[in-house]
């Protein structure tokens, strides 16, 4: 229990430090239009949370980002396993991962908008961004599995399911959990960026760009804080679910 209390105390102190620094910076600037303080941001966020439009906007963005993320996780993991098993597939598909990792996300957003609607574009952009991450993590986890443990599993005829559970999963899961949280951060950033450019109805990205256009800086900060809170909350949920798989 003590380590948990220590970690919580440390997190609270770190948070208090940065909030105080933010408040001091806002006081130094002296204008909420240029830099709203923590209280202005929280008050605006609380006001937004009291409206049905806020929850519909959050829900639609969450649906888009979540759909792209889940599709990317499933396809990326599957391709990672297949390319680890087949050198031919690895050679054939490797240019796709290189293109996905190297091309600026803005270029992808503009290109996708030529072919798809503003509503679907963020889903595909998130998918494109996170798939290579799951692909690389899964591939590295499979090919770097302990050869001696795999040989032992073959000798004792454990079968595919038991080998997966007792050899591959314990080796892959720690890396997979870390990659999942990193991918989630990229999913939110790329998904909201796609919404900013595509501006679909009921989207956080559209709300952010409208706040900027109407110079409603506290509103801009409030929507940004909402994105951060959603990302952190989902990250903890994903880690908890993956750890249950590990257990």
């Amino acid at each position: 229990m003590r380590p948990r209390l220590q970690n919580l105390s440390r997190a609270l102190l770190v948070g208090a430090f940065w909030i105080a620094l933010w408040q001091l910076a806002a006081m130094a600037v002296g204008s909420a239009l240029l830099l709203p303080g923590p209280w202005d941001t929280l008050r605006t966020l609380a006001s937004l949370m009291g409206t049905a439009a806020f929850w519909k906007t959050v829900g639609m963005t969450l649906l888009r980002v979540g759909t792209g993320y889940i599709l990317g996780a499933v396809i990326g993991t599957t391709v990672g396993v297949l390319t680890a098993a087949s050198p031919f597939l690895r050679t054939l598909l490797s240019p796709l991962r290189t293109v996905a990792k190297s091309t600026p996300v803005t270029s992808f957003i503009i290109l996708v908008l030529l072919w798809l609607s503003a509503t679907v574009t963020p889903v595909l952009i998130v998918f494109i961004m996170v798939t290579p991450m799951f692909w690389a993590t899964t591939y590295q986890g499979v090919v770097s599995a302990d050869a001696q443990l795999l040989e032992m599993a073959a000798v004792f005829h454990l079968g595919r399911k038991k080998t997966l559970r007792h050899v591959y999963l314990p080796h892959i899961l720690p890396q997979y959990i870390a990659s999942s949280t990193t991918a989630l951060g990229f999913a939110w950033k790329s998904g909201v960026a796609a919404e900013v450019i595509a501006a679909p109805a009921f989207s956080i990205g559209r709300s952010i760009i409208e706040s900027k256009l109407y110079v409603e800086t506290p509103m801009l900060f409030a929507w940004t804080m909402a994105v951060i809170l959603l990302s952190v909350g989902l990250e903890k949920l994903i880690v908890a679910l993956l750890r249950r798989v590990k257990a």
Side-chain angles (χ1 to χ4, degrees), residues 145-155 158 163 166-168 171:
D146 193 318
Q148 292 182 341
L149 289 178
L150 290 172
E151 185 178 346
M152 187 181 298
V155 169
L158 289 185
T163 301
H166 297 292
V167 179
Y168 283 111
H171 176 68

Side-chain angles (χ1 to χ4, degrees), residues 4 54-55 61 63 71 75 80 91 94 120 122 134-135 141 158 169 176 182 192 203 219 222-223 225 239 247:
R4 289 186 178 181
F54 172 84
W55 295 108
T61 293
L63 178 63
L71 288 174
I75 300 299
T91 303
S94 60
V120 179
F134 286 103
W135 176 357
L158 289 185
L169 282 181
Y176 198 88
T182 303
V192 173
S203 65
M219 191 81 71
W223 280 112
M225 180 176 286
V239 170

Side-chain angles (χ1 to χ4, degrees), residues 68-92:
Y69 181 83
I70 292 171
L71 288 174
V74 172
I75 300 299
T77 302
T78 303
V79 174
V81 172
L82 292 176
T83 51
S86 171
F88 171 74
L89 277 178
R90 181 167 66 251
T91 303
L92 179 67

Side-chain angles (χ1 to χ4, degrees), residues 48-225:
L48 286 172
M49 291 174 66
T51 65
F54 172 84
W55 295 108
K56 185 173 182 179
T57 298
V58 168
M60 292 303 296
T61 293
L62 186 60
L63 178 63
R64 296 183 190 105
V65 173
T67 301
Y69 181 83
I70 292 171
L71 288 174
V74 172
I75 300 299
T77 302
T78 303
V79 174
V81 172
L82 292 176
T83 51
S86 171
F88 171 74
L89 277 178
R90 181 167 66 251
T91 303
L92 179 67
L93 299 178
S94 60
L96 293 178
R97 193 170 69 181
T98 302
V99 169
K101 291 194 303 182
S102 305
T103 305
V105 64
T106 307
S107 299
F108 273 128
I109 295 169
I110 294 172
L111 286 172
V112 172
L113 272 173
L114 295 175
W115 309 317
L116 300 176
S117 67
T119 301
V120 179
T121 294
V123 178
L124 185 56
I125 293 301
V126 172
F127 171 79
I128 291 172
M129 291 296 106
V130 304
T131 299
M133 302 181 72
F134 286 103
W135 176 357
T137 300
T138 305
Y139 170 80
Q140 290 297 333
V142 172
V143 299
S144 62
D146 193 318
Q148 292 182 341
L149 289 178
L150 290 172
E151 185 178 346
M152 187 181 298
V155 169
F156 287 98
H157 304 288
L158 289 185
R160 291 183 179 179
K161 289 185 178 180
K162 289 186 177 180
T163 301
L164 175 64
R165 180 175 178 81
H166 297 292
V167 179
Y168 283 111
L169 282 181
H171 176 68
I172 294 174
L173 269 178
Q175 307 169 50
Y176 198 88
I177 290 173
S179 180
S180 297
T181 57
T182 303
L184 184 61
F186 274 92
W188 275 105
K189 286 189 285 188
S190 60
V192 173
E195 288 183 342
V196 167
I197 295 175
F202 294 103
S203 65
I204 292 178
R206 181 169 185 160
S207 299
I208 287 175
I209 195 63
E210 287 178 349
S211 300
K212 184 262 183 184
L213 291 174
Y214 297 121
V215 200
E216 295 178 346
T217 314
M219 191 81 71
L220 173 61
F221 271 64
W223 280 112
T224 304
M225 180 176 286

Side-chain angles (χ1 to χ4, degrees), residues 41-52:
T41 302
L42 285 172
R43 186 173 55 190
T44 304
L45 180 58
S47 176
L48 286 172
M49 291 174 66
T51 65

